[in-house]
Amino acid sequence: MFRILLVKDIDSAPDLEEKLRRHGFSVDVATDLKDARKTEHDLILIYTTPQRVGAWGPGDTGIPLMYLIDFEDEGNLVLTCPYGCIEKPVDDDDLKSCIDFLMSRIILGEERYKKLFEYIDSCVAVYEAVDDGEDFVIRDFNRAAERIERVNKEEIIGRRVTEVFPGVDDFGLLDVLRRVYRTGRAEHFPIAFYSDDRISGWKENFVYRLPSGEVVAVYRDLTERKQLEDELKEKERLYRSIFENTGSATTIVDEDTTILMANREFERLSGYSREEIEGKKSWREFLADEDLKRMEEYYHLWLKDPDAVPRIYNFRFRDRHGNIKYIRMNADRIPGTTMTVASLVDVTDIREAEEEIRRSLREKEVLLREIHHRVKNNLQIISSLLNLQLSRIGDEELRKIVRESQGRIKAMAMIHEHLYQSESLERVNFREYVEKLVGDIIISHGVSVRKDLEIEDMELDLDTAIPLGLLINELVTNSIKYAFPDGRGTITIGMRRADGSVELVVADDGVGLPEDIDPSSTDTLGLKLVSLLTKQLNGEMTLEVDNGTKFTIVFRERDE
């Protein structure tokens, strides 16, 4: 390993030794040269200023020495070798190139560095000019160069560079070799692509002339790095294309809330250009005042525990012109970073359409309530007309028929009354309805019959509630009229759900019906109605007449 003694006369580059170590050099740090004779370093590197460089003599160390002079006011570093000026801050690649050059100069000038010449990672080629500097013969080639160029040194020594590497002229290196040979000034030949029938790849060269007149090229094969860079650029292009064409306004936000990247859709949404947004604006600036505090609370909680907050947010967005837009945002952290990617969709039109639908539904709800109210009122008017007619009817049997019709009308009117008074316009709370219906029937007949209701809480739609209400009205009225000659007794009504069906039981403890009665074939209108209404519900009815009368009706609930 190449050993460097770094003598630091100033401290303006505290990471210099670390940069050298990263490139595989062994680095010791000192502040003077008093112990240099006792060391076995390959190079002494003195980091100083122009004003103090004269204070450092080469001394009698027997070790090659060079200066790294820091021109603090000009912002440059100058290395005391033909490579020349390095811009500050110290770039790793530039520093490595300078050290490679110095190593090459030392190596080629002194035999004791011959092994190092063979084993360093950088490629080194030594050329001798022929044809008055128009072409060059290869005089030496280290192992790294043999490996990269896929040649055997013994087979190419003494051959022309244009013969071994026929693409050297098109590559541009031949012109550099000619200039350096003629001027003596070292040149850096930037990364370029070399190609011939045998090999190809990206190379970066540093070329200088030795006092002997030989020209040295120290170079690196950067093909893998260039391929990796190209792959990264292609992936960046792909990701950028995805970022730009997600169909939504997308941003990448830093932990301090600064927007680092914004796509075209976000430009359209916000009214700002990308140059005005990226690195300059915080997402806070786009939130409406009413939602800012809530979103900041979410954000602070998210910093502590990302799983404790939702990933989808709804808020009001303020654009450049002060227009408020309703936004739905999906946000998530980019793995391995402190950045967040946020996708924003403008749902203003959808929200306005939803509000229009809600407004329309409210209007229809008001209208439907009014319809139920008017149906109830019309049924009550019919009942009142029948009541007026009763005053003109002398036949008691006919009067009884009219009153029964009034009861049926009232049972239907009560359904509509419950509907327009309830929150739902489609379903009736049937327990409340039955309690009121049975109570009104008992009161209207002026009897002392007790009611025992065992009804589960359930809501039924209008098509089920009306026939079922009429059915209960007929059975309860029939019990009051015929089951209790003395006007006393108990009517029990039970209703429950079981396995997708509803079971209704209406029973009394009165004198009971004859055992041979058939509700479907009887001459009485009430029992005929019970049979017809059961069929309308697609139900089944059973009758028991022991110790009173018990009707059981089972029907399937209607599908929603």
Side-chain angles (χ1 to χ4, degrees):
M1 181 177 288
F2 196 82
R3 296 157 298 180
I4 297 175
L5 176 63
L6 176 62
V7 180
K8 298 186 73 173
D9 192 25
I10 55 175
D11 293 321
S12 62
D15 61 343
L16 182 58
E17 57 265 34
E18 183 58 34
K19 290 178 182 290
L20 291 167
R21 290 191 182 106
R22 273 205 300 270
H23 287 294
F25 300 115
S26 173
V27 181
D28 293 317
V29 180
T31 57
D32 56 52
L33 293 174
K34 63 182 179 181
D35 296 324
R37 294 188 186 88
K38 303 175 184 178
T39 65
E40 297 183 356
H41 293 90
D42 299 298
L43 171 71
I44 297 174
L45 177 62
I46 299 176
Y47 182 43
T48 185
T49 64
Q51 295 79 14
R52 290 183 51 78
V53 70
W56 297 91
D60 186 19
T61 62
I63 302 172
L65 180 146
M66 73 180 202
Y67 298 96
L68 188 61
I69 305 170
D70 192 339
F71 288 79
E72 298 171 311
D73 295 337
E74 299 177 16
N76 291 329
L77 291 171
V78 172
L79 199 64
T80 55
C81 68
Y83 189 69
C85 180
I86 309 174
E87 295 293 329
K88 287 200 308 183
V90 181
D91 179 82
D92 284 16
D93 290 338
D94 284 344
L95 183 63
K96 179 69 162 58
S97 297
C98 286
I99 298 296
D100 283 345
F101 164 75
L102 184 73
M103 288 169 62
S104 302
R105 186 169 183 175
I106 294 170
I107 291 162
L108 296 173
E110 301 183 31
E111 183 61 30
R112 74 190 188 93
Y113 289 104
K114 194 64 179 176
K115 287 185 179 179
L116 187 58
F117 167 76
E118 290 295 336
Y119 291 106
I120 60 172
D121 290 334
S122 295
C123 301
V124 182
V126 182
Y127 303 103
E128 180 182 347
V130 295
D131 299 337
D132 196 23
E134 288 300 306
D135 204 352
F136 294 84
V137 172
I138 299 171
R139 288 304 179 198
D140 209 345
F141 225 60
N142 76 344
R143 293 190 180 186
E146 286 183 282
R147 184 180 68 254
I148 294 300
E149 308 299 358
R150 290 183 290 178
V151 296
N152 186 316
K153 179 170 72 171
E154 303 302 326
E155 296 175 356
I156 65 172
I157 296 297
R159 294 172 61 186
R160 292 174 180 259
V161 67
T162 51
E163 177 189 352
V164 178
F165 302 104
V168 69
D169 195 5
D170 292 337
F171 178 50
L173 181 62
L174 186 58
D175 286 337
V176 176
L177 295 175
R178 289 167 178 164
R179 284 197 302 272
V180 171
Y181 171 72
R182 289 168 182 157
T183 66
R185 289 194 296 271
E187 285 193 28
H188 174 225
F189 183 46
I191 183 170
F193 186 73
Y194 175 86
S195 177
D196 62 31
D197 293 338
R198 187 175 59 83
I199 59 172
S200 63
W202 293 89
K203 311 287 174 65
E204 180 185 39
N205 284 259
F206 175 72
V207 183
Y208 65 96
R209 194 178 73 184
L210 294 174
S212 64
E214 293 174 313
V215 178
V216 179
V218 180
Y219 64 97
R220 295 180 295 167
D221 183 88
L222 301 176
T223 304
E224 289 186 6
R225 191 180 84 175
K226 193 69 168 61
Q227 288 172 345
L228 180 60
E229 288 176 353
D230 290 344
E231 289 175 8
L232 289 174
K233 286 178 182 177
E234 177 61 22
K235 288 181 180 178
E236 182 180 356
R237 186 196 64 78
L238 175 63
Y239 294 147
R240 188 67 172 178
S241 177
I242 294 171
F243 182 74
E244 289 292 346
N245 297 285
T246 59
S248 61
T250 306
T251 61
I252 293 178
V253 182
D254 204 355
E255 193 173 28
D256 65 357
T257 76
T258 301
I259 298 174
L260 301 177
M261 291 179 64
N263 68 356
R264 287 189 296 269
E265 286 298 322
F266 191 84
E267 287 183 293
R268 295 190 189 101
L269 179 69
S270 66
Y272 290 93
S273 69
R274 202 169 300 183
E275 292 73 19
E276 294 174 300
I277 298 169
E278 293 180 344
K280 298 173 184 176
K281 288 194 174 292
S282 164
W283 58 257
R284 291 187 176 95
E285 298 177 47
F286 295 99
L287 263 68
D289 295 340
E290 298 86 345
D291 294 324
L292 180 58
K293 183 178 179 182
R294 173 173 61 88
M295 294 300 290
E296 284 182 333
E297 288 174 353
Y298 274 136
Y299 180 69
H300 292 310
L301 183 57
W302 178 81
L303 289 176
K304 297 176 183 177
D305 183 5
D307 294 328
V309 295
R311 286 193 172 91
I312 298 177
Y313 305 88
N314 293 286
F315 59 90
R316 281 159 287 193
F317 181 98
R318 184 175 54 240
D319 68 12
R320 180 176 203 144
H321 308 293
N323 299 318
I324 297 298
K325 302 173 183 179
Y326 290 91
I327 297 297
R328 175 165 293 174
M329 180 182 75
N330 187 307
D332 206 352
R333 178 169 283 180
I334 299 174
T337 74
T338 60
M339 296 179 290
T340 303
V341 59
S343 177
L344 295 82
V345 178
D346 185 351
V347 295
T348 304
D349 291 343
I350 296 174
R351 186 182 177 90
E352 289 176 352
E354 289 175 346
E355 185 57 39
E356 180 61 32
I357 292 170
R358 281 193 289 269
R359 185 163 48 249
S360 177
L361 286 174
R362 286 194 295 269
E363 291 172 357
K364 288 178 173 59
E365 183 178 325
V366 171
L367 180 59
L368 196 53
R369 288 185 189 280
E370 182 62 23
I371 289 172
H372 284 303
H373 186 60
R374 292 192 179 189
V375 169
K376 189 265 300 184
N377 286 346
N378 289 338
L379 290 172
Q380 285 184 333
I381 289 171
I382 294 171
S383 181
S384 298
L385 290 173
L386 290 174
N387 203 42
L388 289 173
Q389 193 67 35
L390 277 174
S391 63
R392 292 174 171 270
I393 298 174
D395 188 319
E396 186 58 35
E397 186 64 26
L398 191 55
R399 290 171 64 87
K400 184 171 68 171
I401 292 172
V402 172
R403 279 195 290 269
E404 289 175 356
S405 296
Q406 282 182 303
R408 294 174 186 126
I409 291 170
K410 186 170 185 179
M412 291 187 289
M414 286 176 60
I415 293 285
H416 290 282
E417 182 180 23
H418 270 265
L419 282 171
Y420 83 74
Q421 289 178 347
S422 68
E423 291 184 6
S424 171
L425 291 170
E426 297 179 349
R427 305 181 74 79
V428 178
N429 185 315
F430 210 69
R431 179 176 181 174
E432 292 179 0
Y433 167 74
V434 172
E435 287 179 351
K436 190 171 189 310
L437 174 64
V438 174
D440 284 0
I441 294 171
I442 292 172
I443 291 171
S444 66
H445 283 81
V447 293
S448 301
V449 174
R450 292 177 58 252
K451 61 178 179 179
D452 182 9
L453 304 182
E454 300 175 359
I455 302 173
E456 291 182 1
D457 280 327
M458 65 177 69
E459 292 187 343
L460 301 177
D461 60 68
L462 191 63
D463 291 338
T464 302
I466 287 179
L468 197 59
L470 287 171
L471 197 151
I472 293 172
N473 177 75
E474 294 301 325
L475 293 176
V476 171
T477 300
N478 203 56
S479 291
I480 290 174
K481 286 168 59 179
Y482 303 112
F484 310 113
D486 59 356
R488 295 180 181 277
T490 301
I491 297 175
T492 302
I493 301 176
M495 196 167 172
R496 67 186 183 89
R497 280 193 173 100
D499 300 326
S501 296
V502 177
E503 181 186 73
L504 169 68
V505 175
V506 179
D508 63 58
D509 57 359
V511 297
L513 292 173
E515 293 185 4
D516 59 348
I517 193 168
D518 182 1
S520 62
S521 60
T522 181
D523 292 333
T524 61
L525 179 60
L527 290 180
K528 277 187 176 181
L529 276 174
V530 169
S531 179
L532 290 171
L533 292 167
T534 301
K535 288 181 181 178
Q536 184 176 336
L537 291 168
N538 294 319
E540 295 181 0
M541 178 175 62
T542 58
L543 172 63
E544 299 176 32
V545 292
D546 293 336
N547 299 318
T549 303
K550 178 180 179 182
F551 285 89
T552 302
I553 298 163
V554 178
F555 61 92
R556 300 286 296 180
E557 286 195 82
R558 291 168 57 88
D559 294 332
E560 293 292 337

